[in-house]
């Protein structure tokens, strides 16, 4: 059983304002919740169907709910057994730029794209993302779901990007249309890779800081690639 | 003005059954509709706001509609000026496999993924896709929108895949987890690249036909990559 107040409270966490105020986020489905439970992140409450609870006898304090109750609190089209309310980790540190490749996102708007990019970063061993303030919220439930668990491993900082990038001392690479062909590019051991917004690309204010523009050569007639796909392709060539 | 019957008719085209029966599909927004108008595809009717019509004085027979009417017939969250009902092209030919790379999709379910894959294929100059019968419908409006116009240039055939692939004579490559590292792979001038379903990958029945498994090496802890991202990465290495 879940109280009406609990339902309202969980539903309110689908809004950024409440997530920020409460320091909480939502994760759903066995895969993601299991990864959370195994991680160092703290979980406030797990709500689950009886079948999930049976399969996870070691998880304590789970609230048992019905399918209809899960539907009420779930943000998924097809609710999937379990929903966790987790505590947002606090980033006390600044990103360490020396000696590794970090990803910089300039205004990624689509939650699905952002989640997919976090998953891609994790795949290629990139553990740090610096995002502009107008990038989607990584704790948006759609982002969390699209990361498929990678949100636990990749750290994301939000920065006022043009000021921040002006002060970095590592090499700055950017995904642009008229740069070095990524097929002719050496592996990058240290630096930033900047990826721009889905529609407008990287903002003009950021462009002067890009020392090494990189380009994915195309042979067909498509005008562009999806931002997440472009990020994946470039990382696959430079890492 | 648009009649109630027209509204109903257009709304019915969001269902595959009606699209198949009528041989029609929907495309929305200035970019996509402009590409359609410039292509060899036939358009049954264009519905547009006055501002779109003003900017396109040479397009004849456009039905002028209001924003509220556009909202009624649009499948987009944010309707965008213009909607076209277009005639599905009839594929009279079979794919030509010799001398080029073709893409094979085994059960891509998500319309956004399918549209993105068509856009990626177009970017890399791959003009032929052979899809299993359980792959999403390319004329699903969500697929059409996600292709960003590439649907006009890339041909897609639906086949009973295990029978079809048994009879091909070109080399067969597949995106798998334990294959040749794509960084060590030569460019492919002729053959098929098979990409599997988002969750289960390539079906067991298809696996015996793959002579050359290809793998995207990962360094992090993500278990997998999104199907469209994986397709983009592999094509960027082998084309």
């Amino acid at each position: 059983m879940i109280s009406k107040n609990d339902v309202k409270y969980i539903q309110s966490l689908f809004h950024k304002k409440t997530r920020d105020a409460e320091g909480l986020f939502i994760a759903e489905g066995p895969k993601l919740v299991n990864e959370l439970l195994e991680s160092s992140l703290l979980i406030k409450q797990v709500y689950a169907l009886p079948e999930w609870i049976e399969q996870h006898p070691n998880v304590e304090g789970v609230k048992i709910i019905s399918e209809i109750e899960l539907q009420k609190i779930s943000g998924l089209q097809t609710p999937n057994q379990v929903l966790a309310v987790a505590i947002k980790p606090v980033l006390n540190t600044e990103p360490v730029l020396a000696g590794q490749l970090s990803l910089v996102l300039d205004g990624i708007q689509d939650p699905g794209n952002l989640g997919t990019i976090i998953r891609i970063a994790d795949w290629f061993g990139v553990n740090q993302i610096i995002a502009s303030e107008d990038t989607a919220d990584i704790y948006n439930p759609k982002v969390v779901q699209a990361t498929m668990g990678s949100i636990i491993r990749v750290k994301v900082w939000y920065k006022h990007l043009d000021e921040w990038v002006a002060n970095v001392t590592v090499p700055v690479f950017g995904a642009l249309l008229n740069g070095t062909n990524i097929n002719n590019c050496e592996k990058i051991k240290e630096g930033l890779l900047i990826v721009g917004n889905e529609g407008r690309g990287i903002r003009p204010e950021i462009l002067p800081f890009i020392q090494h523009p990189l380009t994915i050569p195309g042979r067909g007639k498509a005008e562009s690639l999806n931002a997440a796909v472009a990020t994946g392709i470039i990382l696959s060539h430079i890492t």
Side-chain angles (χ1 to χ4, degrees), chain A residues 171-184:
Chain A
V172 180
F173 300 80
L176 290 166
L177 287 176
N178 294 309
T180 307
N181 181 333
I182 48 163
N183 291 308
N184 306 327

Side-chain angles (χ1 to χ4, degrees), chain A residues 13-227:
Chain A
L13 294 174
F14 284 89
H15 303 284
K16 181 172 191 302
K17 212 172 154 182
T18 321
R19 286 196 300 274
D20 286 350
E22 301 287 321
L24 299 171
F25 70 100
I26 285 170
E28 296 197 58
K31 183 180 181 305
L32 199 48
V33 173
N34 289 355
E35 286 214 36
L36 267 179
L37 288 167
E38 287 165 16
S39 77
S40 60
L41 294 197
L42 299 173
I43 292 183
K44 194 180 172 204
Q45 184 65 57
V46 176
Y47 302 86
L49 302 184
E51 52 259 46
W52 188 89
I53 294 175
E54 262 174 47
Q55 285 166 21
H56 300 80
N58 297 328
V59 183
E60 288 173 12
V62 179
K63 276 203 187 163
I64 183 167
I65 58 173
S66 67
E67 295 214 19
I68 291 166
E69 289 172 325
L70 180 59
Q71 267 174 25
K72 280 188 197 160
I73 58 173
S74 172
L76 303 180
Q77 276 199 325
T78 316
N80 192 358
Q81 293 188 50
V82 57
L83 179 150
V85 176
I87 295 169
K88 289 206 265 179
V90 179
L91 275 182
N92 288 319
T93 55
E94 285 294 303
V96 176
L97 303 184
Q100 62 181 310
L101 180 66
S102 304
L103 195 58
V104 176
L105 305 179
D106 182 21
I108 295 291
Q109 299 289 312
D110 180 78
N113 274 343
L114 179 57
T116 304
I117 288 173
I118 294 171
R119 183 176 166 198
I120 292 166
D122 187 24
W123 178 270
F124 288 109
V126 173
N127 303 316
Q128 301 189 127
I129 294 178
I130 297 90
S132 65
E133 285 158 340
D134 63 341
T135 295
D137 177 26
I138 56 160
Y139 293 110
N140 176 321
K142 284 183 188 164
V143 177
V144 174
Q145 294 306 124
T147 69
M148 302 276 280
S150 294
I151 196 166
I152 295 164
R153 293 177 289 272
V154 177
K155 285 184 181 165
V156 182
W157 289 262
Y158 286 85
K159 297 283 183 190
H160 192 79
L161 212 55
D162 41 348
E163 284 174 15
W164 181 82
V165 78
N167 290 309
V168 304
T169 53
V170 293
V172 180
F173 300 80
L176 290 166
L177 287 176
N178 294 309
T180 307
N181 181 333
I182 48 163
N183 291 308
N184 306 327
C185 185
E186 286 183 20
K187 306 286 171 199
I188 297 168
K189 300 240 165 84
E190 177 183 86
L192 307 178
L193 171 64
I194 306 184
V195 175
N197 168 274
E198 292 91 342
R200 61 161 166 71
I202 299 172
R203 266 175 299 191
E205 306 92 276
I206 309 289
L207 292 177
F209 301 107
I210 297 176
Q211 299 136 0
H212 312 281
L214 301 178
T215 296
I216 303 166
R219 285 155 204 80
K221 288 187 178 158
E223 277 174 28
S224 64
L225 285 166
N226 164 287

